[in-house]
Amino acid sequence: MRKVGLVMRKIQFTEAQGPRVFADRLKQIGLELGVDIVFISPERHVSGYDWLPGYEHEKGDLVNYDIVLDQIHSQNIEHVIYTVSGFTFLKMFLPKSVLFPHSFPDPALTGYEMMKPFYTMVDKAIVQTEFLKRELGRNFGVHDVNVIPIGFNEELAHRHYDPSQVVHNRVLWIGRDEANRRPDLVLEYARQNPDKEVYMVFGGVRYQESMKKYDIPSNVKLKFALTQDEIFTLMNSAKVYWNCSAFDTFAMPLTEAMAMGKMVVKPEHACYGHIRSTHAFAGNEDNWFELVNMAAAAPRSVSEDNREYAFGAFSRTIMKEGYRNFFAEWLK
């Protein structure tokens, strides 16, 4: 069985959110395709938080190269997928390395200036959306790019789907306590709409501490580090899924929400262009509250159009076929 290293930050492997879900899904798909995905990460944490001055992740990645290379060489790995731009230098040692970005140097994201120099060295990438493929070409001249979505779990999307369980005043938001995710907006929406039941789900337990700085309205329920089963159960019960982030490289919960037939409210930003269907409504800070209320007031419980679109565009089956074709070319 061919080995492929998957290099992610230690905290990405330990938290119950997008990167870890992606890693587990890729490992299982790899096994089905005859490829052993080997998890590799620095042993040292840079910081438990994203942007403490002097501990920014890209700086930390550079000082962890020896540890990462030791792990790669000890397993006789020649092909590497790395998810963090700070590990771009791996291609100096491993020509068969490819970037699969979980972030992107967009001005909406904290630390984007630090990411930019690393992206000028990227020569091959896998991205989750056509938007990111265009941006890599336009901004960094990277044209050897495959588009492969992080496919949602079809089995969970079938097992937990039950329109009779939808609570019509329930709004769901999934994210992090980070400025570009705008949890403050969600809290303000809840304050202004006491008739709504607002669930805020955070990927890591560390946010239990950071959320203490907010005044949490009584109609907000906070959840931390839920399992995929718990996510889909909660997703099924919500009427509206709302994403108000400034920028996303993929926005996995949005595709899961589409697959579960949710009424979706999302930003107008072009990075969300792949989230499109009859009941996916794009807005901005000026009209989001009204859009969420309109979606909640819709007479239908679910959107079969959204569900059908998601299964045709973002399913695990689509992801598996993408990697089947990619590995056939890259590993030969």
Side-chain angles (χ1 to χ4, degrees):
M1 187 177 280
R2 300 294 297 274
K3 284 186 177 181
V4 169
L6 177 63
V7 180
M8 299 201 312
R9 294 193 176 107
K10 188 174 181 181
I11 201 164
Q12 290 178 314
F13 278 120
T14 56
E15 291 197 331
Q17 52 193 19
R20 177 68 204 214
V21 174
F22 159 71
D24 290 338
R25 198 154 296 154
L26 181 61
K27 188 171 186 67
Q28 183 57 45
I29 285 173
L31 290 174
E32 295 168 19
L33 298 175
V35 177
D36 182 14
I37 304 294
V38 180
F39 293 172
I40 294 168
S41 70
E43 292 301 314
R44 294 190 290 263
H45 269 303
V46 179
S47 159
Y49 296 88
D50 290 330
W51 296 104
L52 291 182
Y55 291 90
E56 292 90 343
H57 280 318
E58 277 70 19
K59 290 179 186 175
D61 296 333
L62 292 177
V63 301
N64 277 304
Y65 262 72
D66 57 338
I67 296 172
V68 169
L69 282 170
D70 282 349
Q71 292 180 53
I72 292 170
H73 291 316
S74 70
Q75 300 253 13
N76 295 314
I77 291 170
E78 296 178 354
H79 294 76
V80 170
I81 298 170
Y82 60 98
T83 69
V84 180
S85 61
F87 285 113
T88 305
F89 283 112
L90 283 172
K91 74 174 190 176
M92 293 170 55
F93 311 97
L94 299 149
K96 296 279 191 172
S97 56
V98 59
L99 171 67
F100 184 88
H102 285 315
S103 190
F104 193 80
D106 184 273
L109 297 179
T110 308
Y112 85 101
E113 289 285 0
M114 185 178 291
M115 293 185 222
K116 280 163 64 175
F118 295 97
Y119 273 80
T120 64
M121 295 179 280
V122 174
D123 55 6
K124 186 176 182 64
I126 305 167
V127 295
Q128 302 94 314
T129 63
E130 291 290 344
F131 167 80
L132 286 176
K133 180 177 181 177
R134 292 194 302 272
E135 290 298 288
L136 273 172
R138 184 170 69 89
N139 291 311
F140 302 104
V142 182
H143 299 289
D144 184 0
V145 181
N146 291 74
V147 179
I148 310 175
I150 302 174
F152 63 84
N153 187 316
E154 292 153 293
E155 191 270 327
L156 290 179
H158 284 301
R159 172 151 50 92
H160 291 290
Y161 184 65
D162 181 359
S164 71
Q165 297 299 310
V166 171
V167 179
H168 280 255
N169 71 332
R170 183 171 293 176
V171 176
L172 174 62
W173 175 95
I174 298 175
R176 303 183 180 105
D177 178 27
E178 296 169 0
N180 68 289
R181 304 290 177 186
R182 300 308 308 270
D184 57 307
L185 267 183
V186 184
L187 295 171
E188 182 57 33
Y189 168 81
R191 263 188 287 275
Q192 293 185 25
N193 295 272
D195 61 311
K196 298 298 188 296
E197 186 180 67
V198 180
Y199 275 83
M200 300 180 72
V201 177
F202 297 86
V205 292
R206 59 183 167 139
Y207 299 113
Q208 284 180 321
E209 188 62 34
S210 70
M211 286 301 290
K212 290 178 181 177
K213 66 178 176 287
Y214 297 107
D215 176 20
I216 308 295
S218 60
N219 58 327
V220 171
K221 294 179 171 58
L222 303 179
K223 299 287 183 181
F224 302 91
L226 298 183
T227 65
Q228 279 279 285
D229 262 304
E230 290 169 330
I231 289 284
F232 274 84
T233 300
L234 181 57
M235 188 81 78
N236 180 67
S237 72
K239 174 71 173 288
V240 181
Y241 181 80
W242 177 23
N243 178 309
C244 53
S245 296
F247 186 93
D248 270 297
T249 49
F250 185 63
M252 275 178 59
L254 263 174
T255 62
E256 293 168 344
M258 295 278 282
M260 294 299 286
K262 300 301 97 181
M263 301 287 150
V264 166
V265 177
K266 61 165 189 164
E268 293 168 331
H269 195 290
C271 71
Y272 300 97
H274 60 298
I275 305 297
R276 53 195 302 173
S277 185
T278 312
H279 302 105
F281 309 108
N284 55 61
E285 195 167 337
D286 293 327
N287 66 3
W288 268 328
F289 291 10
E290 189 67 17
L291 279 178
V292 171
N293 286 339
M294 287 170 60
R300 64 179 66 241
S301 296
V302 295
S303 169
E304 289 293 347
D305 288 355
N306 285 11
R307 187 166 162 83
E308 182 180 350
Y309 180 80
F311 271 86
F314 313 119
S315 68
R316 184 186 186 278
T317 299
I318 303 289
M319 179 181 180
K320 183 176 177 178
E321 285 309 301
Y323 277 100
R324 185 195 306 278
N325 296 331
F326 176 76
F327 287 147
E329 183 65 29
W330 188 47
L331 297 178
K332 70 180 181 184

